[in-house]
Amino acid sequence: MNDPRSPAQDPDSGSGLADWTAGAADWIARADRIAAISRPATEILLARLDPQPGQRILDVASGAGDPAFSIAERVGSAGSVLATDGVAEMVTALEGRARERGLTNVQAQVVSAESLAFTPGRFDGASCRFGAMFFDDAARTFGAMATAVRSGGRLAALVWSCDDRNPYFTVVTAALDAVGADPVEVARTVFELDDPEEVLAACRGGGWVDARVEAVGFPWRLPDTRPETLIDTQSELSRKLRKRMEGLSADQIERARGIVAERVGQLEAAIQDGDDLIMPAECLALSGRAP
Ligand SMILES: C[S@@+](CC[C@H](N)C(=O)[O-])C[C@H]1O[C@@H](n2cnc3c(N)ncnc32)[C@H](O)[C@@H]1O
């Protein structure tokens, strides 16, 4: 398949891919921090994919390379990972970061989830972490992934569970709402596939067999963060939140900071561990076998 390094999507076109095209530079600049924070999610994915030395793995919506790089380390020099993403800037960044790490077994390709089409059975397994929520038709993409994997090969995919299990995403947003920050429209949110039955149906609908979904909790460890600075940490990681905060007065931001601190203080599962704030998080982990 060609890799035309597709031109940037029109950010106003209303598709999930357009949102990601607009936010790519931001994500790439923070890729190392995001990889470190989401390490527990990488482990959840690796446990289900169980990549073996010598295997060829397809990773979809790979972003700037995490967790594709961890999979590449597991399959070793005799194996390979094809990392794909619909945003050309992500793929270019991923290639650069793979070179920096000396990962010669990672190839990358610009391809949207909507146009995935590989030679049937080309891969031994397929993965997708925190990507499927943004696809136009997750069942169709899971179907293309199932076709690309040899019979019996594994699928491991993670999506975010529901908002009340993931307060990291909601407390700051709710505080900004409370102080009157303007909303920022996005085509799709991280909670788009938070219904276990729905995501399982998409996986089965794509043809995966022995498919199962499990809600898995994990720690979301934010370095150098306290409840009263969570709003700063999160807005530093989120272009959308920075945009929302731009229009606020110093007083509104202070009030929002207080609301966040109070709410986090009420969360039993939020723990201050030295300089780090650990927030509870939960994903839906999908697994299956290619037919
Ligand atoms: C939350 S990031 C996840 C990146 C990486 N898998 C990770 O776990 O850190 C979502 C990724 O999905 C990609 N993406 C969103 N919609 C897509 C689509 N329709 N086709 C392909 N990639 C898409 C974005 O460009 C972005 O890199």
Side-chain angles (χ1 to χ4, degrees), residues 16-17 20-21 27 34 38 59-67 84-87 90 111-114 128-131 133-136 160 190:
L17 206 44
W20 279 100
T21 300
W27 181 270
I34 295 169
S38 45
D59 186 59
V60 175
S62 304
D66 178 51
T84 64
D85 200 278
V87 175
M90 291 286 195
V111 53
S112 76
E114 291 69 34
C128 179
R129 192 183 73 174
F130 299 141
M133 307 87 72
F134 305 109
F135 301 162
D136 284 352
W160 287 102
V190 296

Side-chain angles (χ1 to χ4, degrees), residues 154-196:
R154 291 182 189 227
L155 168 75
L158 306 188
V159 297
W160 287 102
S161 176
C162 54
D163 55 2
D164 58 354
R165 298 295 194 153
N166 288 293
Y168 165 74
F169 288 112
T170 53
V171 285
V172 172
T173 306
L176 293 181
D177 290 345
V179 300
D182 289 336
V184 170
E185 293 303 321
V186 289
R188 295 193 175 86
T189 77
V190 296
F191 300 120
E192 219 65 46
L193 279 181
D194 66 355
D195 176 352

